Amino acid sequence: MTTETVEYIRYHIPEEQSAEFLSAYTRAAAQLAAAPQCVGYELARCEEDFEHFVLRIVWTSTEAHVEGFRKSELFPDFLAEIRAYIPSIQEMRHYKPTTVRGTGSAVPTLYAWAGGGEAFDRLTSVFYEKVVKDDLLAPVFDGLAPEHAQHVALWLAEVFGGPPAYSETQGGHGHMVAKHMGRGITETQRRRWVNLIQDAADEAGLPTDAEFRSAFVAYVEWGTRLAVYFSGPDAKPPAEQPVPKWTWGAAPPYVPSD
């Protein structure tokens, strides 16, 4: 589970002070934005009672907030902006996220936006027709199993929020990684792979809006760079883990393990 902690600060601000309160936090937010301990923040106002506000700050950890930010050179300027509103605080606590989380159906998955399983079937069918004719990539896929394109379609569908068919029939992330071990994929081959799958996405009729394509290409870049690494001579197989889930947002920064 993540080590991040969420701090909630609840304020009761009289209506006549709300404009000054919002201005103060707009200025104070500059210190939060500059703090390496702060992951993100949001000040929300109650719709039913305009005098109630909740500030939500995600910290890398409680210790990072208390021992890091509060003792940093940023904190005095932050405190100076909001000091007048400290007596208006009704709650100020740290909360640890639980495993109960998810997104609602108001935001479609990339899988649904793309057109479901049929879209990914078309994508991999077109893509591998290109691969076997490509001088640079054909040697990498020499002896391609007839069902390979279908398996990759299941993988991509699950990655982008579709049913867990790949996990149920093939395995998790470790199974996919094993397919690349020892293949010695080069950066030039990786770039060709990326270019061809984008061409295939066009021909297969996947959505062309900027939001979908930016997320699609982000996964392709991330996945192919891992493939190059795991195909190298010094790569160590990762511990078994689930198929990654890709959404409309970007992946978090990579943090090396100790």
Side-chain angles (χ1 to χ4, degrees):
M1 185 181 294
T2 177
T3 59
E4 292 177 356
T5 188
V6 184
E7 181 187 21
Y8 288 98
I9 309 174
R10 304 180 190 278
Y11 288 92
H12 179 231
I13 305 295
E15 181 73 20
E16 63 273 14
Q17 297 178 17
S18 62
E20 292 84 354
F21 174 73
L22 289 168
S23 295
Y25 257 108
T26 298
R27 296 189 297 271
Q31 311 308 317
L32 295 176
Q37 303 88 355
C38 179
V39 178
Y41 58 89
E42 178 184 57
L43 179 62
R45 188 175 194 173
C46 180
E47 288 188 346
E48 290 79 16
D49 185 344
F50 283 179
E51 293 190 346
H52 287 85
F53 294 81
V54 177
L55 177 65
R56 178 180 182 272
I57 307 176
V58 181
W59 302 100
T60 53
S61 68
T62 301
E63 183 180 8
H65 172 212
V66 177
E67 300 296 326
F69 178 70
R70 288 187 181 176
K71 295 182 179 180
S72 73
E73 60 183 15
L74 296 171
F75 185 67
D77 290 340
F78 174 82
L79 184 61
E81 295 291 354
I82 58 94
R83 186 189 300 274
Y85 304 101
I86 291 178
S88 300
I89 293 176
Q90 297 182 318
E91 178 190 8
M92 183 168 61
R93 296 179 180 177
H94 295 94
Y95 291 80
K96 187 68 70 176
T98 71
T99 56
V100 181
R101 64 183 66 186
T103 57
S105 60
V107 178
T109 62
L110 292 166
Y111 169 82
W113 191 266
E118 292 184 0
F120 290 100
D121 286 338
R122 293 196 308 272
L123 172 67
T124 57
S125 178
V126 173
F127 174 66
Y128 284 104
E129 287 178 4
K130 293 178 178 295
V131 164
V132 296
K133 299 175 184 177
D134 187 86
D135 292 341
L136 191 59
L137 292 181
V140 179
F141 294 93
D142 186 39
L144 194 66
E147 64 274 13
H148 183 81
Q150 181 184 10
H151 290 168
V152 175
L154 294 177
W155 168 269
L156 292 174
E158 185 170 343
V159 165
F160 289 123
Y166 187 90
S167 295
E168 293 172 352
T169 62
Q170 305 301 314
H173 188 241
H175 183 272
M176 177 59 78
V177 167
K179 299 291 187 180
H180 298 86
M181 299 295 291
R183 288 189 171 271
I185 302 171
T186 67
E187 171 60 18
T188 304
Q189 290 170 327
R190 186 196 75 81
R191 284 292 187 94
R192 181 67 60 82
W193 201 101
V194 170
N195 291 339
L196 287 186
I197 201 165
Q198 291 188 75
D199 291 342
D202 290 339
E203 294 181 27
L206 266 65
T208 59
D209 58 280
E211 293 78 10
F212 174 80
R213 285 303 179 95
S214 63
F216 178 78
V217 173
Y219 171 72
V220 168
E221 281 287 335
W222 181 81
T224 55
R225 288 178 187 276
L226 286 185
V228 169
Y229 167 75
F230 284 118
S231 74
D234 301 322
K236 297 180 180 179
E240 186 54 45
Q241 52 191 273
V243 171
K245 301 296 184 182
W246 213 256
T247 66
W248 295 94
Y254 171 70
V255 179
S257 58
D258 295 331

